Amino acid sequence: MSGSPAQHHPHDDAALPASTALPTSGARAGEAASPPVVGVLALQGGVVEHVRAVESLGARAVKVRSADDLVDPDGVPRIDALILPGGESSTVDRLCRTFGLFEPLQRVVRGGLPTLGTCAGLIMLSSEIEDPAPGQQSLGVLDVSVNRNAFGSQVASAEVELAWEGPASDVVAPGDVVRAAFIRAPEVTRAGEGVEILARHRGAVVAVRQGNVLGISFHPELTGDTTLHRLLLASVR
């Protein structure tokens, strides 16, 4: 996809628009002026890059390695938004269950916590994995089916520009360009009722949203494109 002068790259904007910049943190009541707190699942995968992207937007990033990092003793989220990064999806699944994070993650996402899953994170969020590794499970919080490694091996990885198909917002509009890195990326093969298709690559669905959940096949954190991170922050109330 060529980058013609008429195309808008939303990640080139200098900062979040006023309506989406630094939403009030819901994780710490009473601190009305505090920046949002974004938890990044930090068991395996591209954690540091997501932390940097979040912090570049003025939010505070924390690493989530245990249920105690995610929720307080009453089960209330300690964070305002959540990112499930890329990595190896079957390994992330196994580690989530080993460290007691699987069910707490399900509960907070189903409870409405704004969530972004990238690559393996999309697979983790999905309701069905068409080609799971032996024993692999998913959280089942996003009504899609996914095909793991649909875009081939790591050798076949590529950086491309995607045209945004989702609705207009303060962050991005239809036709805007999002820079995306595909690394052994999955594709969405089925999208359930109420799932919005946000972008495609070679005809395959690679970005979706259902309520509070964003799932994408690619790695925006590797290209410097913060469009999806800004969308996540815009959904924090």
Side-chain angles (χ1 to χ4, degrees):
M1 199 177 298
S2 63
S4 67
Q7 291 176 316
H8 176 227
H9 292 66
H11 53 277
D12 291 337
D13 297 337
L16 285 169
S19 60
T20 58
L22 301 186
T24 299
S25 172
R28 290 163 298 149
E31 298 183 21
S34 63
V37 180
V38 180
V40 181
L41 186 66
L43 300 180
Q44 192 250 2
V47 176
V48 172
E49 295 83 358
H50 279 292
V51 168
R52 288 174 179 161
V54 166
E55 292 179 342
S56 76
L57 296 172
R60 186 163 74 89
V62 297
K63 295 177 181 179
V64 175
R65 295 191 175 97
S66 68
D68 187 58
D69 295 331
L70 184 66
V71 295
D72 69 16
D74 295 321
V76 177
R78 297 186 187 273
I79 57 178
D80 299 306
L82 173 68
I83 295 175
L84 305 185
E88 210 299 307
S89 60
S90 61
T91 299
V92 175
D93 163 52
R94 177 173 52 80
L95 291 173
C96 279
R97 286 183 278 133
T98 298
F99 291 104
L101 268 164
F102 193 90
E103 290 183 0
L105 284 169
Q106 278 185 322
R107 286 196 298 270
V108 296
V109 178
R110 286 175 175 164
L113 186 71
T115 300
L116 168 64
T118 65
C119 198
L122 164 63
I123 297 170
M124 280 291 295
L125 293 170
S126 70
S127 57
E128 180 187 22
I129 305 170
E130 292 187 347
D131 52 344
Q136 183 174 4
Q137 300 178 30
S138 62
L139 296 171
V141 293
L142 177 60
D143 188 13
V144 297
S145 301
V146 295
N147 177 11
R148 295 191 312 151
N149 304 334
F151 291 100
S153 67
Q154 191 151 342
V155 177
S157 301
E159 183 174 325
V160 303
E161 291 187 339
L162 305 175
W164 188 257
E165 298 182 21
S169 69
D170 289 336
V171 174
V172 63
D176 283 351
V177 169
V178 175
R179 285 203 302 263
F182 286 87
I183 304 173
R184 295 175 59 207
E187 70 168 307
V188 174
T189 57
R190 179 195 63 84
E193 185 177 352
V195 176
E196 299 175 273
I197 294 173
L198 305 179
R200 304 173 201 258
H201 177 48
R202 299 177 185 169
V205 175
V206 295
V208 295
R209 175 169 51 197
Q210 184 178 27
N212 58 298
V213 181
L214 283 161
I216 61 175
S217 302
F218 50 90
H219 294 267
E221 76 283 2
L222 298 180
T223 67
D225 189 317
T226 58
T227 303
L228 278 300
H229 297 88
R230 293 169 70 218
L231 274 179
L232 179 68
L233 289 174
S235 64
V236 174
R237 294 177 176 82

